[in-house]
């Protein structure tokens, strides 16, 4: 029996253990130490564009702190891309604020600038703007940053970037995660690089980096005893996890190249098929890390549905997953406001994420191709 092909699994580079062993040797087994600082420097250098990075225990924690640092709380609204993973929206509720979900556009599947403009105009006419807008680069595909930034600037609302899935992606030559007032990254086990669990806050403002370190290490004031004037959090990344991150940074470019090879494989596999679209960069301004390769199946034209393909793959030991279910359709966010025309709902109905790990080789591609081709042959 062939081993199962997973959607996206961890892929070590080789030097991770070296950094961990160094941490043990020096007894830096704590949520601080040389690996934490080194990992942050690696990320700052990689991202460029004047980035300051704070390593945290998760991307979700980083987003939570971003909202805390913007003083967002009860009675405030935060706009969030509806087509995303729940971790983009949950922190809005952690701080007691109200999420408003914004629809996607069809080219990148990310936040639609027109829907955002419409939503902001509506709120402005009532004199109550949201405190932030959370834009996501879903599956690694950069969102329409020029248009979204312009709309946010017009209304003076800070833009936060959820770049959890987009480390290595660029828009007009600049790295995703360096556009917003603040951005977050994730190093969860399924992401393009992993620290087994971890995340980061990215900002151009060194004062915000300093503040985020303070808040993520229990908000301890300068005193010999423990003194606190603010509520703190225990959100810093451990020096052991950061050691994995340093090893992973050495192979990040290779991981991006491997994920992009997967995408090229799918573009070729589905290239001729009628009614199947592979999510692809709209033009040269966009460079996706193709963290996950995703497709849309029009069942009338293709002759089979997303679910037919998903079940066939599953039967052959290959994991795939429907596109992320939009937040405005989630039971937990029932009753939340949604602005848009239903693009994200249509994507969810027909979209599928294909296996996209950087450790997939020719043998795995051949198995996937066999499964896909058998479904296409039986299409009616
Ligand atoms: C993974 C992910 C997160 C959360 O990151 P964690 O490190 O797992 O907390 C947030 N947003 C998106 C879009 C993600 O895919």
């Amino acid at each position: 029996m062939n081993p199962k092909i997973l959607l996206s699994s961890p892929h070590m580079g080789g030097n991770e253990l070296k950094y961990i062993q160094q941490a043990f040797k020096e007894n830096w087994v704590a949520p601080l130490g040389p690996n934490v600082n080194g990992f942050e420097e690696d990320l700052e250098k990689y991202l460029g564009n004047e980035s300051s990075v704070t390593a945290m225990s998760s991307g979700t924690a980083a987003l939570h702190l971003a909202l805390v640092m913007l003083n967002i709380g009860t009675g405030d609204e935060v706009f969030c891309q509806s087509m995303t993973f729940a971790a983009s929206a949950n922190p809005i509720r952690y701080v007691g604020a109200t999420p408003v979900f914004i629809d996607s556009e069809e080219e990148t599947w990310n936040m639609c600038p027109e829907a955002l403009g419409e939503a902001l105009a509506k709120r402005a006419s009532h004199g109550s703007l949201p405190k932030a807008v959370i834009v996501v680069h879903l599956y690694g595909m950069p969102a329409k940053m020029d248009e979204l930034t312009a709309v946010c600037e017009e209304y003076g609302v800070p833009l936060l970037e959820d770049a959890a899935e987009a480390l290595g992606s660029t828009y007009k030559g600049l790295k995703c995660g360096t556009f917003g007032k603040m951005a977050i990254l994730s190093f969860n086990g399924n992401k393009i690089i992993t620290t087994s669990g971890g995340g980061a806050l990215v900002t151009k403002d060194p004062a915000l980096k300093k503040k985020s370190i303070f808040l993520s290490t229990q908000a301890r004031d300068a005193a010999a005893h423990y003194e606190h004037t603010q509520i703190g959090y225990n959100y810093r990344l451990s020096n052991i996890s950061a050691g994995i991150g340093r090893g992973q940074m050495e192979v990040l470019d290779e991981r991006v190249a491997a994920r992009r090879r997967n995408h090229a494989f799918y573009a070729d596999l589905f290239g001729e098929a009628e009614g199947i679209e592979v999510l692809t960069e709209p033009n040269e301004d966009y460079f996706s890390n193709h963290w996950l390769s995703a497709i849309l199946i029009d069942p009338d034209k293709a002759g089979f549905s997303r679910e037919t393909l998903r079940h066939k793959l599953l039967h052959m030991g290959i994991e795939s997953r429907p596109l992320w279910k939009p937040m405005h359709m989630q039971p937990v966010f029932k009753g939340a406001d949604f602005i848009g025309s239903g693009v994200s709902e249509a994507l969810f109905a027909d979209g599928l994420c294909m296996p996209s790990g950087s450790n997939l080789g020719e043998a795995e591609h051949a198995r996937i191709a066999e499964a896909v081709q058998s479904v296409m042959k039986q299409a009616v």
Side-chain angles (χ1 to χ4, degrees):
M1 183 67 190
N2 283 321
K4 202 163 182 227
I5 295 177
L6 299 170
L7 199 66
S8 178
S9 55
H11 186 185
M12 292 299 103
N15 281 336
E16 291 83 2
L17 267 178
K18 188 187 80 184
Y19 291 104
I20 292 175
Q21 273 159 353
Q22 191 65 24
F24 271 74
K25 216 162 84 191
E26 297 168 358
N27 206 27
W28 281 109
V29 187
L32 82 168
N35 282 336
V36 176
N37 300 335
F39 184 43
E40 288 176 346
E41 279 162 28
D42 291 346
L43 284 164
E44 285 168 359
K45 210 164 112 200
Y46 182 81
L47 292 170
N49 205 8
E50 301 165 44
S51 300
S52 290
V53 172
T54 308
M56 301 220 185
S57 52
S58 71
T60 311
L63 188 55
H64 184 193
L65 280 197
L67 300 180
V68 167
M69 290 193 293
L70 290 172
N71 291 315
I72 298 171
T74 310
D76 295 330
E77 279 188 336
V78 174
F79 287 5
C80 181
Q81 183 166 320
S82 190
M83 186 83 202
T84 187
F85 181 62
S88 306
N90 285 338
I92 300 169
R93 297 283 285 267
Y94 298 170
V95 297
T98 305
V100 173
F101 295 112
I102 312 290
D103 207 0
S104 292
E105 37 80 10
E106 282 167 336
E107 279 190 308
T108 74
W109 302 358
N110 292 308
M111 189 182 283
C112 173
E114 284 76 32
L116 175 63
E118 190 192 311
L120 284 169
K122 218 154 116 188
R123 289 306 193 266
S125 73
H126 296 127
S128 67
L129 286 165
K131 287 285 156 64
V133 174
I134 300 172
V135 171
V136 188
H137 308 293
L138 204 68
Y139 308 130
M141 181 62 70
K144 297 196 166 184
M145 289 316 297
D146 275 357
E147 293 88 338
L148 293 167
T149 304
V151 181
C152 285
E153 278 175 359
E154 185 185 339
Y155 291 92
V157 179
L159 186 155
L160 299 178
E161 258 182 293
D162 180 344
E165 302 178 359
L167 181 59
S169 300
T170 67
Y171 175 79
K172 293 195 169 173
L174 296 174
K175 292 269 177 358
C176 287
T178 68
F179 291 92
K181 165 115 182 141
M182 287 177 263
I184 66 120
L185 301 171
S186 170
F187 313 112
N188 195 29
N190 59 345
K191 297 291 161 43
I192 192 152
I193 62 166
T194 182
T195 58
S196 72
L201 184 88
V202 188
T203 172
K204 283 186 179 49
D205 183 350
L208 282 177
K209 169 167 174 165
K210 207 170 152 213
K211 179 109 195 254
S212 67
I213 292 175
F214 171 75
L215 289 173
S216 63
T217 51
Q218 307 285 23
R220 286 152 55 176
D221 295 338
H225 62 276
Y226 287 135
E227 179 82 8
H228 305 275
T229 47
Q230 283 181 73
I231 295 294
Y233 301 82
N234 186 4
Y235 280 175
R236 202 76 165 113
L237 188 67
S238 95
N239 196 53
I240 302 300
S241 299
I244 306 176
R246 289 183 86 181
Q248 290 272 279
M249 283 304 288
E250 294 178 9
V251 294
L252 175 54
D253 286 337
E254 286 170 45
R255 298 297 179 261
V256 173
R259 300 253 177 186
R260 288 180 58 85
R261 275 198 299 279
N262 286 330
H263 181 267
F265 159 72
Y266 288 117
D268 185 53
L269 182 63
F270 293 111
E272 309 281 283
E274 215 195 322
I276 302 185
E277 179 199 324
V278 181
L279 174 64
T280 301
E281 293 110 332
N283 58 54
E284 267 106 72
D285 290 343
Y286 300 78
F287 177 89
S288 173
N289 68 4
H290 288 307
W291 171 61
L292 293 189
S293 291
I295 62 171
L296 275 186
I297 303 174
D298 178 335
D300 296 331
K301 288 192 186 137
F304 61 91
S305 70
R306 184 272 309 279
E307 283 302 279
T308 301
L309 177 58
R310 191 175 68 80
H311 283 122
K312 177 70 185 178
L313 290 164
L314 193 63
H315 183 70
M316 294 180 73
I318 300 165
E319 184 186 31
S320 64
R321 191 182 293 277
L323 296 197
W324 298 182
K325 184 177 181 178
M327 290 305 114
H328 73 277
M329 298 170 75
Q330 295 285 358
V332 71
F333 292 119
K334 197 168 164 233
D337 212 354
F338 169 71
I339 287 119
S341 57
V343 171
S344 55
E345 290 168 27
L347 292 171
F348 174 60
D350 289 335
L352 189 67
C353 296
M354 300 296 289
S356 302
S358 50
N359 44 13
L360 300 184
E362 270 175 39
E364 288 77 23
H365 283 178
R367 278 174 61 197
I368 295 164
E370 191 193 337
V372 167
Q373 277 153 0
S374 82
V375 171
M376 293 207 279
K377 264 192 222 114
Q378 285 164 18
V380 286

